[in-house]
Amino acid sequence: MRFDEAYSGKVFIMSREDGEAADAVIYGMPMDWTVSFRPGSRFGPNRIREASIGLEEYSPYLDRHLEEVNFFDAGDIPLPFGNPQRSIDMIEEYIGTLLEKGKFPLGLGGEHLVTWPVLKAMYCKYPDLAVIHIDAHTDLREEYEGEPLSHSTPIRKACELMGPEHVYSFGIRSGMREEFQYAKESGMYLAKYDVVEPLKGVLPKLAGRPVYVTIDIDVLDPAFAPGTGTAEAGGISSKELLEAIHMIADSDIQVVGGDLVEVAPAYDPTEQTVIAASKFVREMLLGWVK
Amino acid sequence: MRFDEAYSGKVFIMSREDGEAADAVIYGMPMDWTVSFRPGSRFGPNRIREASIGLEEYSPYLDRHLEEVNFFDAGDIPLPFGNPQRSIDMIEEYIGTLLEKGKFPLGLGGEHLVTWPVLKAMYCKYPDLAVIHIDAHTDLREEYEGEPLSHSTPIRKACELMGPEHVYSFGIRSGMREEFQYAKESGMYLAKYDVVEPLKGVLPKLAGRPVYVTIDIDVLDPAFAPGTGTAEAGGISSKELLEAIHMIADSDIQVVGGDLVEVAPAYDPTEQTVIAASKFVREMLLGWVK
Amino acid sequence: MRFDEAYSGKVFIMSREDGEAADAVIYGMPMDWTVSFRPGSRFGPNRIREASIGLEEYSPYLDRHLEEVNFFDAGDIPLPFGNPQRSIDMIEEYIGTLLEKGKFPLGLGGEHLVTWPVLKAMYCKYPDLAVIHIDAHTDLREEYEGEPLSHSTPIRKACELMGPEHVYSFGIRSGMREEFQYAKESGMYLAKYDVVEPLKGVLPKLAGRPVYVTIDIDVLDPAFAPGTGTAEAGGISSKELLEAIHMIADSDIQVVGGDLVEVAPAYDPTEQTVIAASKFVREMLLGWVK
Amino acid sequence: MRFDEAYSGKVFIMSREDGEAADAVIYGMPMDWTVSFRPGSRFGPNRIREASIGLEEYSPYLDRHLEEVNFFDAGDIPLPFGNPQRSIDMIEEYIGTLLEKGKFPLGLGGEHLVTWPVLKAMYCKYPDLAVIHIDAHTDLREEYEGEPLSHSTPIRKACELMGPEHVYSFGIRSGMREEFQYAKESGMYLAKYDVVEPLKGVLPKLAGRPVYVTIDIDVLDPAFAPGTGTAEAGGISSKELLEAIHMIADSDIQVVGGDLVEVAPAYDPTEQTVIAASKFVREMLLGWVK
Amino acid sequence: MRFDEAYSGKVFIMSREDGEAADAVIYGMPMDWTVSFRPGSRFGPNRIREASIGLEEYSPYLDRHLEEVNFFDAGDIPLPFGNPQRSIDMIEEYIGTLLEKGKFPLGLGGEHLVTWPVLKAMYCKYPDLAVIHIDAHTDLREEYEGEPLSHSTPIRKACELMGPEHVYSFGIRSGMREEFQYAKESGMYLAKYDVVEPLKGVLPKLAGRPVYVTIDIDVLDPAFAPGTGTAEAGGISSKELLEAIHMIADSDIQVVGGDLVEVAPAYDPTEQTVIAASKFVREMLLGWVK
Amino acid sequence: MRFDEAYSGKVFIMSREDGEAADAVIYGMPMDWTVSFRPGSRFGPNRIREASIGLEEYSPYLDRHLEEVNFFDAGDIPLPFGNPQRSIDMIEEYIGTLLEKGKFPLGLGGEHLVTWPVLKAMYCKYPDLAVIHIDAHTDLREEYEGEPLSHSTPIRKACELMGPEHVYSFGIRSGMREEFQYAKESGMYLAKYDVVEPLKGVLPKLAGRPVYVTIDIDVLDPAFAPGTGTAEAGGISSKELLEAIHMIADSDIQVVGGDLVEVAPAYDPTEQTVIAASKFVREMLLGWVK
């Protein structure tokens, strides 16, 4: 043992040392300044990394081991506190660089607005991109109390950028009446309450297409993920979310990137949310990065 | 903006200003002095109000918006600490006034004993009243260690007042042997463990009748509602309780009042219980107040 | 009331005073020094006892009352901090004494390694013993970072002692690839993810045999039992674990002992885990001690 | 080691087995039903016992060891939930029995009202009794919202029973204007804010007299004892309370009993309050029981 | 009791009903979007109000009762999430209206940046205004990572607006080297670590002048106020802060407004911080509003 | 910004990249397997690092900035769970390597036993070493329940190795009678309760000598550091510990290494302990590494 090689669990378990050689890159987006209820998801990425120490590196679900996925944990993007516009620009530029280098981007939030600049960069590279959006909330507002840059607007922006017919939402159980009307009239796909059953119908239709998958941890019932800003009773279980991740892995779609957002450790005294999140990240790595 | 009109989230979200004009009235019953295990439900009503700030005002389940229900949040009844008898008398009188004015009473507990004086007032107005009781516990004791006024006795008292054949209990998974025997022999209805399936059978039988619905939050598994005094493992999920509320809303019974009791914030560090409770209250308002 | 007879909830509810006359003995094994992630299960047994005060003494599931089971709560075995070998020896000797006296041993952990010395003593008395192992983790390692005495090894050791064909694992969702391979190749039984369904198939095969049942609380999803060292998302519910306990009680196997391990109160701020655990212990007593 | 002799930390550390032979008796008074703010002190006595496991048995302050004090922990008096009058009667009777047998009573609360029946019994035996009352609150109300039996009234009742000139309050920093006026006009002694300095003046005056000492944990600043129902900023430190206990021990008064009340574990997530309380109890035993 | 007059603790204890007639107005500024470490102070004002229920209405320190101060709690200003500039503009306008009407403004934060717009409005009315700033942090940055609107800049902005010689900081124990240099060179007053002693020297110099007093709760050691975003070890005690408030009350300065900021309930599981804060607010009302 | 250079707060704030060139090295010793009460200090080092993000890099106490100290955070030594002997051997070897390379060792615990192997390595290099030991506990046991390798023994072992006359303990307020007797008879220095005053007397005597300083966080009162395994009421304040660190920095002794041990995040829900600890580490770096 050399004195400067002590293990410290600084990064997601089994992250490689060489970023340039990696196939996939994990990065944090520690932003929570536009949330309307309980802030704190800025600390999500680092606590997910920390909790990964308790994970096995092997998945019995997928019969695959993290040593089979060449990934690099790059840490958090240093976003400027309280400035949504500059934060978004930095994220878009960062993802652009990753995509240029051919990396699979796997992001950790932070509030859901971070997905918006990621999608802009993804869509630039993949003009036929589709989005799978797993969430308790529609996130289809045009603005939130006058602010177009809000954690309530990213999916609406995605619809406007890519065309609503390429956006597929699952597990939705909260939103304004106007958002549900927009979903119905715009031609986007929206499945209320459930994830697994509707996914079974949608995945075959997306076969062969590049797809970005964004998961808001609050799609889970607060029983399974209390550590989130806007908890919403009546959600799915961890078992169901695992099944959804595995169905996506086993389908014929081409996953080209993904994220897990809205983990807020301040409301997670038992650490159960970050522990579950770190397992979801492991399964996303093992199932989606080929 | 006038200086004295700042929003403060002091009441349940979208409470109207004019109590006299309202169709329904929310009121708290901050009493917990007869509980045998962990006290603290006296703080339940105010924390449920506070958590309502995080709610959408629209329900995608019922396709209805809180602006369609004219309700008033009256605050908490100022019950005297440590005096069960006087507390009960005050509640009965308070509900009597509400009913005289034709209001729909929607109560927030507080321990379950608060339902007893409410039922006395309701029965006085509706002699053909039936009670739907959703709970983990039988609450059928005649007394608790010598005390007839106890959180373990309200449903027994209801049976004695109204006749056991008008009382319907659901989700029950804890009680003394004598309580289960009483339930069996008295002719009341008692469904063990489950709520949704047995409700399907009972609701048609109550068609057209005035019904009071009392929900003890501990019918939920502690995973979904840890913030309660007497948590009891093996309960239903938030999804199932939402379904029960919606089934009642869609049935042909005439809901004439209801309550949600036993929310105890001291055992709810993540706020998941009060957040779920505020959603249940929203659905009760939207589904039961026509 | 004599002054020295005040009730204090020092022991599991309804424990008898006379250990010699009891049919079953509850004992704690407050050891957590080999765990690899979050320690603290040494405090599990006493908090389970404390939480038992909130329990009814009657089970509506089994229609049986604790007064029908003559049991004695002996307290915790005074294990030496930080010394796994001596701790294991003390436990083995303690169980040996219990078995000599014809007591049904019901142990409370403590980390899962405590089950290893119990099994040694049980196997000595019952050479045709089978083991039912309900857990999230395989616990089939040969060693953990060089240590053969580890919370990751007890089931492997049991396989080696008794023959793998007498070991039945349920609910498993985490382990090394090598452990799952061992399970497959050795001839032991291992059911992934589920407990209730696979138990239905296994119980008839064990009819008439003496069986020891060890339950690791982390077989539950962290939603139901956050208070454990190595929480693992995607588990079963409290309802399912109750059903498993009841199926075992109703089967034709001869339960000769059991334990419930890995309850760690430091991660249980709502006390929901210890409250659930105390209910499981009540059902184990009522269902398994004839 | 006999199987039924395992140590379990059920009682205060080093409690003797034989109550009849003991010089001092520890007993809990788990009552909290008249409190006006945050209930939960009913669980105080058992958590103080549990925390005592972490204590050394020797005090470097007093150079005395618990083996030098023959005491017995009798557990909690089984008080009836929600019934203040019966609870008070039971406590008075219990203390009466203790005093008849010549035991030194050391009580653990519970709310402060429990001190009232203790004082009645003490005064009956010691007609020249004085009371040292260490607390943040005056507790001098005649009634609380119409209730004469309230946690806000015990010291007033003591004044009325024994004469205000025999009551000495220290550390007081909260109360109604009328209470402070009563203190001034009645002739009782009341030291605002501080404890140690005023005690120095008072102790010599009480030399030779029998004195009962009641300590409300909320005399400490909430920094030192957050786990109490009615925390009051601006209090003394643990060091100062220890000094007060030691000054009383070293004085020429004859301590004939004492209590420590209002420890409420639900507001004590770090256990710092119960840990401190268990140390205060050790020092009271070592310093006051000769 | 009319049905719509139930007490609910919605506002600070003893707030009057009539805002127009009040001498002083309490208002919340629920903003936390520029903080660099732990957000959550947006919930501070409402939790301080809630905790005020546990307060006595009389202060033994000042021998004054809340019924002697005619104040009105106006609730929270509805600030737009994530938009610092608009939030600041709203606050400035709000305070302007208050001052026009001759009200004494007493603000509850929220992050410390909220004090900046308040000072702009105060300075406009009182050109000879001085500021007493009690805090752990200098808050003298010109910008924070490029953002001039940050919780680290309000006092610098005050210096630039009013002249540094009118700004007096106390209790400071954290900041950049450049901030301490600015303090030294600019001519402002800065007392490191302590509050009470330096105040004794400063108050006479400010005699007769209008003074605004801003208190950041983190001037307290985290032992006394853990519930704040940027806790800083080595601070003063609650007793010392009370003494400072009382010294200001007893001095010859003319307090024309004040605030208490940075209370963040998410880091306050025992509620000790909000309980202490509500007491400080009571003393500010009783001592500063003549 | 390169994609692989994102900041992630993985190490103590301002740690340099190049370990070989550093003057001082921070390393964690995540061991807690011999503790007798509440385990969990294994997670201390990483939480202290994480909390350092909230620190300023400049100390107004010492007028020095972290950029003036060339240090490297090497992470945690990978100690084997549950094996005290191997853990101790690894630490001794690790420190040996550090000292060979001329680094100043600054260790983070972990339980206090980790200091023992550090002292062995230090003494080997500095035969005239003295030890300053700041702690609530004597740690002078010869063994703990038969185990010589225990968190209660490191200072005794140091006395035996180096001679008791070279060991100086401060702040001690808990231990066995035998330990205090040993301290008195052996010739070591032991100051009860206080730290600052006795240090003033001792430091001049140690002028010019190489001194290792070990700080157990539990020397603080639990009000200031609840997050520790064996909290002990009646301790010093954070202000006093800062003063002690600064006095040592300003003295004429030659500090040759130091550690801060026993931080246990599981008992620190507000993070106040890790936040304070990270500040102490900053001051140790700035004051002791010349």
Side-chain angles (χ1 to χ4, degrees), chain F:
Chain F
M1 184 177 62
R2 287 183 43 203
F3 84 88
D4 53 354
E5 284 186 330
Y7 171 71
S8 74
K10 301 169 189 175
V11 290
F12 201 86
I13 193 170
M14 281 210 69
S15 163
R16 304 305 189 279
E17 294 288 314
D18 182 357
E20 291 293 335
D23 294 325
V25 172
I26 291 180
Y27 52 93
M29 295 170 285
M31 168 176 172
D32 59 8
W33 20 99
T34 81
V35 304
S36 55
F37 195 36
R38 305 187 302 181
S41 59
R42 67 177 68 180
F43 298 113
N46 266 333
R47 286 290 165 93
I48 292 172
R49 290 175 177 112
E50 188 183 70
S52 74
I53 304 175
L55 285 179
E56 290 287 343
E57 296 156 357
Y58 168 75
S59 165
Y61 304 90
L62 294 164
D63 189 21
R64 201 171 184 216
H65 192 283
L66 283 178
E67 70 196 359
E68 301 171 56
V69 182
N70 187 349
F71 75 97
F72 174 73
D73 181 350
D76 285 2
I77 307 177
L79 305 176
F81 308 114
N83 191 324
Q85 187 58 59
R86 265 182 58 210
S87 301
I88 281 173
D89 293 345
M90 284 175 72
I91 295 172
E92 185 175 358
E93 184 197 334
Y94 184 87
I95 306 302
T97 311
L98 280 189
L99 293 179
E100 257 174 54
K101 291 176 180 278
K103 310 301 181 196
F104 181 103
L106 186 49
L108 306 178
E111 57 166 290
H112 215 159
L113 182 55
V114 299
T115 302
W116 163 232
V118 177
L119 286 177
K120 281 200 287 184
M122 298 298 299
Y123 182 61
C124 187
K125 175 159 183 184
Y126 302 100
D128 56 337
L129 187 73
V131 173
I132 290 180
H133 166 231
I134 301 177
D135 196 340
H137 303 91
T138 46
D139 288 0
L140 286 168
R141 297 200 185 193
E142 284 195 272
E143 55 166 43
Y144 190 82
E145 302 193 359
E147 296 297 328
L149 290 181
S150 153
H151 73 126
S152 303
T153 61
I155 303 306
R156 178 63 168 267
K157 289 181 170 300
C159 289
E160 290 168 358
L161 176 71
M162 303 163 45
E165 65 276 17
H166 302 304
V167 176
Y168 297 79
S169 291
F170 299 86
I172 308 302
R173 59 189 185 278
S174 181
M176 296 169 72
R177 175 174 271 159
E178 292 74 13
E179 295 176 89
F180 284 94
Q181 279 171 335
Y182 173 83
K184 195 176 285 180
E185 293 163 8
S186 69
M188 72 172 283
Y189 178 92
L190 186 151
K192 283 203 283 194
Y193 319 136
D194 289 323
V195 176
V196 168
E197 279 310 307
L199 254 186
K200 282 186 189 158
V202 165
L203 284 173
K205 297 184 197 159
L206 295 176
R209 280 186 64 181
V211 180
Y212 184 86
V213 186
T214 176
I215 302 175
D216 187 321
I217 194 81
D218 67 21
V219 74
L220 294 175
D221 193 278
F224 298 88
T228 192
T230 314
E232 183 76 35
I236 67 170
S237 69
S238 290
K239 230 179 205 172
E240 289 171 287
L241 184 52
L242 284 168
E243 194 176 346
I245 293 171
H246 297 147
M247 283 171 58
I248 290 170
D250 293 342
S251 75
D252 294 324
I253 68 172
Q254 178 200 0
V255 185
V256 294
D259 61 47
L260 180 63
V261 301
E262 296 284 7
V263 172
Y267 313 103
D268 191 37
T270 67
E271 305 184 45
Q272 69 183 91
T273 312
V274 293
I275 287 171
S278 70
K279 182 169 181 174
F280 300 140
V281 171
R282 185 192 72 190
E283 298 299 301
M284 290 158 82
L285 280 171
L286 292 173
W288 299 354
V289 183
K290 309 289 172 168

Side-chain angles (χ1 to χ4, degrees), chain A residues 204-263:
Chain A
K205 296 183 196 157
L206 295 176
R209 282 187 64 182
V211 180
Y212 184 86
V213 186
T214 177
I215 302 175
D216 187 320
I217 195 80
D218 68 20
V219 74
L220 294 175
D221 194 278
F224 298 88
T228 192
T230 314
E232 183 76 35
I236 66 171
S237 69
S238 290
K239 229 180 206 172
E240 290 172 286
L241 184 52
L242 284 168
E243 194 176 346
I245 293 170
H246 297 147
M247 281 171 59
I248 290 169
D250 294 341
S251 75
D252 294 323
I253 68 172
Q254 180 200 358
V255 185
V256 294
D259 61 47
L260 180 63
V261 301
E262 297 283 6
V263 173

Side-chain angles (χ1 to χ4, degrees), chain E residues 74-105:
Chain E
D76 285 1
I77 308 177
L79 305 177
F81 308 114
N83 191 324
Q85 188 58 59
R86 266 182 56 210
S87 301
I88 281 173
D89 294 345
M90 285 176 72
I91 294 172
E92 185 176 356
E93 185 197 333
Y94 184 87
I95 305 302
T97 311
L98 280 190
L99 293 179
E100 260 173 51
K101 290 175 181 280
K103 309 302 181 196
F104 181 102

Side-chain angles (χ1 to χ4, degrees), chain C residues 12 24 40 47 49 53 71 116 124 127-128 148 158 199 223 226 241 245 257 286:
Chain C
F12 200 87
R47 286 290 165 94
R49 290 177 177 108
I53 305 174
F71 75 97
W116 163 233
C124 187
D128 55 338
L199 255 185
L241 184 53
I245 293 170
L286 291 173

